[in-house]
Amino acid sequence: MAAPMLRVFSRGWWSGAPSLSGVLPLGLRKAHSDVRGLLAAQNARGLFKDFFPERGTKIELPELFDRGTSGNFPQTIYCGFDPTADSLHVGHLLALLGLFHFQRAGHNVIALVGSATARLGDPSGRTKERVALDAERVKGNARALRRGLEALAANHRQFFNDGRSWGSFTVLDNSAWYQKQHLVDFLAAVGGHFRMGTLLSRLSVQTRLKSPEGMSLTEFFYQVLQAYDFYHLFQRYGCRVQLGGSDQMGNIMSGYEFINKLTGEDVFGITVPLITSTTGAKLGKSAGNAVWLNRDKTSPFELYQFFVRQQDDSVERYLKLFTFLPLPEIDHLMQLHIKEPEKRLPQKRLAAEVTKLVHGQEGLDSAKRYRMITEGGVSINHRQVTNPESVLVVGQHILKNGLSLLKIGKRNFYIIKWLQL
C-alpha cells in the first residue's frame, strides 16, 4: 500500500475538493473577546472558551466567518466524537451546539465519528488508560453515534429553523481513511513531521507520564491521529477550523502544527467549556455521571429533569449555552424569575428547549406527561397516581361499571369508558 499522500496547497483555490465547502485558504489567528459577528455573538453566550493560535487574530478570524466581509464564505468546521459508548451524552452537547451555531450562520459543519481513534483512547483529562474496545464493539457504537448525530441534526432543522439559509451538516467516520493505511507506510509519511519534544510537552501527556500508571504508546499516538484527521479534512473538504472541548486543546495544537508545517497555511482551533457536575467533575461515561442522549439509556423525562433541577446560579448560563434563545429573551426570563422564583420559569424553558432538540416534540410531550404524574398532577378515581409505570387495576382504577374518573391538573376532568376489560 502506497504511503498516504501529503499534498501541499498554496494560497488560492485547489482542484478536486468536494463541494462540501469550497473554501479559499486564508491565514488564521487568535480571536479575542472583542471579535465581531458570529464569534462575538457566541462569546457573549459563553459558548467559546479558547482560540488557537495566539498570533494577532482581531481581524482575520472574524472576517473568515462573517458573511459579506470575506470573499471565501462559507467555511467548514469539524468536531470529533469517539464512539467509546453507543450514545452521546450531555457533555457532548456544547460542541454540537457550537457546530449548529456555525451551520445556522451559513457555514458547513462536519461531525466526525472517530472509529479509528476510539481504538486508541484519548488520554486527555484521564488519570488512567481506557479499557480497550474490540473492533466489533467500536463498529456498533459508531453506528449508534451516527444515528444519534443525524437525529439531532434533523431535530435541529425541523424544530429550530430560523428561516435563514443554513450550511450543511455532514457525518463522517475516520475509519474511512485509516482502514486503507498500512502502519509502516503511514509512519514513514507522517511520523517525520512530528517532534517528540513538542508531543511530550502537551499537558495531557505530562499529567499521564507523572501518574503511577504512566502512559502507553497507544495513548501517546492518539494526538498524531487526531492531527492527521484535521489534515485530511483540510485537504479534502477545505476544513479550516476544529471545534472541541477545552480538554482537547493539546490535540488541536498538534493538528495546527502538522498542517502548518506541511502546507504553510494556518488553521484554527476553538474550544467550548466542559460541563461539570455540582462537585466539579466532568460529566461523562468515564466519571460515571453521564446523562445520555439516547432515550433507551436516559429517558426524555430524565433528561428534562436534569435540566429543570438546575440551580438558580447556573440556569442563566445554561440557557445561553444550551439553547438558541436570543439573549434579550433570556434576560426577560431571568427578570420574571426574580419576581416569581417559585415558578422556576427559566429552568422549565431550559429543560423544554434541550429535550425538544434531543428527542423532538414527541419526546418533550412525553417528558411533560411523566413530570405531571410524578409531581402529583394526576389522579384516578380521586386517588393520586405518582408512578408513570403504574398498571391500571380493576376495582381500583377501573370501577365495576367499566368507568374511570381521570383528573389532570386542577381543572381537567375526564370520564373514561373501558370497552374491554
Side-chain angles (χ1 to χ4, degrees), residues 1-4 181-192 221:
M1 175 69 69
Q181 307 290 354
H182 285 175
L183 175 62
V184 174
D185 294 331
F186 182 82
L187 288 175
V190 173
F221 203 64

Side-chain angles (χ1 to χ4, degrees), residues 75-369:
Q75 296 299 313
T76 301
I77 302 94
Y78 100 93
C79 182
F81 304 91
D82 279 354
T84 55
D86 59 359
S87 172
L88 299 169
H89 53 72
V90 165
H92 294 117
L93 262 184
L94 285 193
L96 273 169
L97 281 158
L99 290 181
F100 287 153
H101 278 292
F102 280 115
Q103 183 189 14
R104 295 164 75 85
H107 300 287
N108 300 314
V109 299
I110 298 172
L112 181 65
V113 177
S115 290
T117 39
R119 297 290 305 280
L120 302 187
D122 185 0
S124 302
R126 294 182 58 85
T127 57
K128 60 182 180 180
E129 191 168 1
R130 294 178 184 272
V131 176
L133 299 175
D134 61 71
E136 288 306 311
R137 176 74 176 276
V138 170
K139 285 181 182 179
N141 289 349
R143 288 192 296 268
L145 250 62
R146 187 181 192 103
R147 290 193 298 268
L149 288 163
E150 290 170 346
L152 278 157
N155 287 341
H156 174 223
R157 185 168 289 279
Q158 180 178 358
F159 299 112
F160 298 90
N161 200 310
D162 59 4
R164 292 185 294 173
S165 177
W166 288 6
S168 61
F169 185 97
T170 304
V171 182
L172 301 176
D173 192 317
N174 63 9
S175 65
W177 46 91
Y178 286 117
Q179 65 186 1
K180 300 175 183 178
Q181 307 290 354
H182 285 175
L183 175 62
V184 174
D185 294 331
F186 182 82
L187 288 175
V190 173
H193 298 281
F194 292 88
R195 301 270 70 86
M196 287 296 298
T198 303
L199 296 179
L200 286 167
S201 69
R202 304 295 185 219
L203 178 61
S204 60
V205 175
Q206 285 292 310
T207 301
R208 290 299 302 280
L209 289 176
K210 295 175 183 177
S211 69
E213 184 177 298
M215 186 179 200
S216 70
L217 177 61
T218 303
E219 287 184 299
F220 181 73
F221 203 64
Y222 184 95
Q223 60 180 308
V224 174
L225 290 197
Q226 185 165 326
Y228 187 80
D229 286 342
F230 199 175
Y231 169 79
H232 177 87
L233 296 175
F234 170 78
Q235 173 182 299
R236 185 155 179 78
Y237 298 102
C239 180
R240 307 296 301 278
V241 179
Q242 180 180 173
L243 189 69
S246 58
D247 58 347
Q248 293 298 304
M249 183 56 79
N251 295 330
I252 292 172
M253 291 167 65
S254 294
Y256 167 84
E257 291 162 358
F258 181 48
I259 295 171
N260 184 259
K261 184 177 294 186
L262 283 172
T263 69
E265 299 290 345
D266 285 334
V267 290
F268 194 73
I270 301 176
T271 65
V272 297
L274 296 178
I275 298 301
T276 60
S277 67
T278 54
T279 63
K282 175 184 173 182
L283 288 180
K285 178 176 70 71
S286 302
N289 58 4
V291 179
W292 302 100
L293 305 189
N294 183 326
R295 67 189 304 157
D296 295 330
K297 297 170 78 74
T298 298
S299 71
F301 169 68
E302 291 171 316
L303 179 69
Y304 185 95
Q305 288 296 95
F306 171 79
F307 283 99
V308 88
R309 289 171 178 163
Q310 293 302 315
Q311 300 298 313
D312 289 350
D313 58 2
S314 62
V315 67
E316 181 176 7
R317 174 173 178 257
Y318 276 21
L319 279 167
K320 293 176 180 179
L321 291 175
F322 286 104
T323 78
F324 302 109
L325 296 178
L327 295 183
E329 186 171 350
I330 294 174
D331 290 339
H332 178 64
L333 277 171
M334 297 311 300
Q335 290 301 315
L336 293 176
H337 185 59
I338 292 173
K339 297 176 181 177
E340 299 179 296
E342 71 280 358
K343 291 187 176 181
R344 297 179 65 80
L345 294 176
Q347 284 90 344
K348 292 176 181 177
R349 186 63 183 277
L350 168 66
E353 293 290 308
V354 176
T355 305
K356 186 161 66 171
L357 175 64
V358 176
H359 296 297
Q361 187 63 51
E362 178 276 329
L364 175 57
D365 292 342
S366 170
K368 287 183 175 179
R369 288 193 297 269

